[in-house]
Amino acid sequence: MVQNQNWYLSTVAEEAEALAARYGLGLEIAEYCTASNMDDGFAQADAAVRRELARTDRAAFHLPFNELCPAAIDPRARRLAWERYRQGIALAGAYGINRLVVHSGYIPLVYDKTWFAERSVEFWTEFLREVPADALLCMENVMENEPGLLLEIIRRVDDPRLRLCLDVGHANSSASNVPVSEWIDCCAPYLSHVHLHNNEGDRDLHAPLGTGTIDMEKCLTELVCKAPGSTLTIESVEAGPSVNWLLQRGFLRR
């Protein structure tokens, strides 16, 4: 059984803050996934985030990811990733949030995996010197076709502040060649956070948990067994149906 305090709702869903307040759930702040919201769009994003944080007692923070790659070929692009991540971590700290989600930036057919792993290890080893001691960065799978690349990066960096975020929807998309159960098995020893949403096995739909081709009940049972300390975010664009699905099956308490 997953305790309610381990559950979060992504603020990509409009009803997330109301549901979090009703059921005692955390929120994963998604407003700054678009980096420009830390700049020109800051006033509006900040107002929304402060309103959301007033409805919960805990939060995670999704760092920006659009056009950011810490292992980019162009050194200026790597510096941009560094600057945006540093900016996002400082902002999260100002909100009192130390659980952070970050993308690896991997794009298949663009980056050779061996090269990408080497550059990523270099980036994260150096970048973590600037990261607060109490921060936890969870690296999320997006377009990786199997767990090995992220696992290699995490193992070689070998810092307890860099862990994995398993996105089961991405693992079930056309980007992945590996079943969700295998992703869970491989990632479990390094897993601290999970993104949950469903799809039909091809496109990344961020659909409710009870729809799509992922056997979500089996998935959650495996996660509870193999990575019991992980936190979990419902990252559906509509949070209500997913919350109801979890309540009906006893994964959430009323």
Side-chain angles (χ1 to χ4, degrees):
M1 177 61 62
V2 182
Q3 301 299 316
N4 278 33
Q5 62 263 27
N6 281 19
W7 283 103
Y8 291 69
L9 299 173
S10 172
T11 59
V12 297
E14 290 184 2
E15 71 271 41
E17 61 182 280
L19 289 167
R22 180 176 180 182
Y23 295 108
L25 310 177
L27 288 170
E28 183 171 320
I29 303 304
E31 277 77 3
Y32 300 106
C33 289
T34 300
S36 60
N37 284 341
M38 298 189 294
D39 301 329
D40 295 341
F42 178 72
Q44 183 175 354
D46 179 62
V49 170
R50 292 187 183 280
R51 184 190 68 238
E52 291 159 353
L53 292 177
R55 307 294 298 276
T56 184
D57 62 355
R58 62 197 182 281
F61 187 103
H62 202 308
L63 289 169
F65 61 83
N66 295 310
E67 291 86 47
L68 299 180
C69 179
I73 297 165
D74 186 337
R76 290 191 180 184
R78 290 196 299 274
R79 285 197 293 272
L80 175 62
W82 185 295
E83 292 166 6
R84 285 306 199 184
Y85 293 163
R86 181 168 56 186
Q87 188 181 8
I89 292 170
L91 182 54
Y95 290 130
I97 304 171
N98 61 6
R99 181 173 292 265
L100 307 147
V101 176
V102 65
H103 290 185
S104 75
Y106 176 72
I107 304 173
L109 305 180
V110 173
Y111 299 112
D112 171 79
K113 285 187 178 181
T114 300
W115 185 93
F116 187 88
E118 291 288 343
R119 299 290 81 75
S120 295
V121 170
E122 290 174 5
F123 179 95
W124 291 110
T125 300
E126 187 174 356
F127 183 78
L128 282 163
R129 295 172 187 156
E130 293 194 8
V131 173
D134 65 345
L136 179 65
L137 275 68
C138 302
M139 188 179 292
E140 175 186 350
N141 61 298
V142 182
M143 288 190 279
E144 292 80 4
N145 67 340
E146 44 79 29
L149 178 59
L150 297 185
L151 288 170
E152 180 180 356
I153 296 167
I154 298 297
R155 287 167 179 158
R156 290 177 58 189
V157 173
D158 192 25
D159 189 306
R161 292 170 297 168
L162 185 64
R163 297 274 288 174
L164 287 180
C165 168
L166 174 60
D167 188 301
V168 300
H170 297 162
N172 191 60
S173 73
S174 57
S176 171
N177 299 330
V178 174
V180 172
S181 290
E182 189 171 334
W183 277 92
I184 294 172
D185 284 340
C186 294
C187 293
Y190 304 93
L191 196 58
S192 288
H193 196 58
V194 179
H195 281 170
L196 295 166
H197 50 95
N198 219 322
N199 57 51
E200 298 297 330
D202 48 9
R203 294 186 297 117
D204 183 20
L205 299 176
H206 286 263
L209 303 187
T211 65
T213 60
I214 301 173
D215 185 341
M216 197 60 69
E217 197 156 357
K218 177 185 176 185
C219 174
L220 285 169
T221 300
E222 291 177 348
L223 286 166
V224 169
C225 177
K226 297 172 183 177
S230 295
T231 48
L232 307 99
T233 290
I234 300 169
E235 206 181 33
S236 303
V237 291
E238 293 181 88
S242 293
V243 168
N244 289 334
W245 187 91
L246 291 165
L247 288 167
Q248 290 165 8
R249 286 155 183 80
F251 288 105
L252 271 179
R253 299 189 314 273
R254 294 186 183 276

